[in-house]
Structure formats: structure tokens, C-alpha cells
Amino acid sequence: MNPKQLEDSIFEAVSDAIGREWTIEEKQLIQNNSKLQSRLKEWLNNSLSDTCWHPDNYKLVQDLNTASNFNPPTMLENEEIHISF
């Protein structure tokens, strides 16, 4: 996929209530694109995206807010993520 298609796919995963986890390729695009990171942070805070986030995607974008060096998060097998909405 080209970057535009990947970006569309990233936002589709958090807007259509499909609850799909982003692929490695999508996560890499997020990691390397500060403008996209900013848009995802805004979308995370947008009430239109409520209940559409896969827990791993939610944690990844939340971590962008706190980490200067982005590393895709890893979850422990039994770890549960609380999404605030």
C-alpha cells in the first residue's frame, strides 16, 4: 500500500467501529509521521471516535502523548487496557 492508502486504513480502523488493530506497516507509518501522530491524537479526543478504538491502538496513541521516543507498546498476555469512554 502507498502511504495515503495506509493512512486511510489507519483512520478507517478508528472510525468505522470495526475495532481492528493496526498492522505493523501502519504502526511504522505512524511512528515516522509526526503530522499523522498529531491527527490521531486529535481523533482520539474526538467524541465521534468513542468505542471505535482497538485497545492496542488506543494505548499506542496515548503513549505518543507521554513518550518523546515512540516505541509501539507491547501488552502482557493478561493485561487489560481501560479506554476512558
Side-chain angles (χ1 to χ4, degrees), residues 8-68:
D8 290 346
S9 180
I10 288 167
F11 279 97
E12 180 181 281
V14 295
S15 64
D16 289 344
I18 58 176
R20 177 182 63 79
E21 183 179 0
W22 291 321
T23 66
I24 292 170
E25 191 175 28
E26 290 168 332
K27 290 176 184 179
Q28 288 174 339
L29 179 66
I30 294 166
Q31 178 180 6
N32 296 314
N33 187 324
S34 60
K35 184 177 177 180
L36 178 56
Q37 290 175 20
S38 180
R39 289 180 58 212
L40 286 167
K41 289 175 196 176
E42 289 174 17
W43 187 247
L44 182 70
N45 295 318
N46 183 334
S47 63
L48 295 175
S49 71
D50 290 1
T51 72
C52 298
W53 286 82
H54 184 280
D56 289 342
N57 297 348
Y58 180 85
K59 180 160 176 32
L60 188 145
V61 174
Q62 281 295 98
D63 288 349
L64 290 174
N65 289 326
T66 58
S68 58

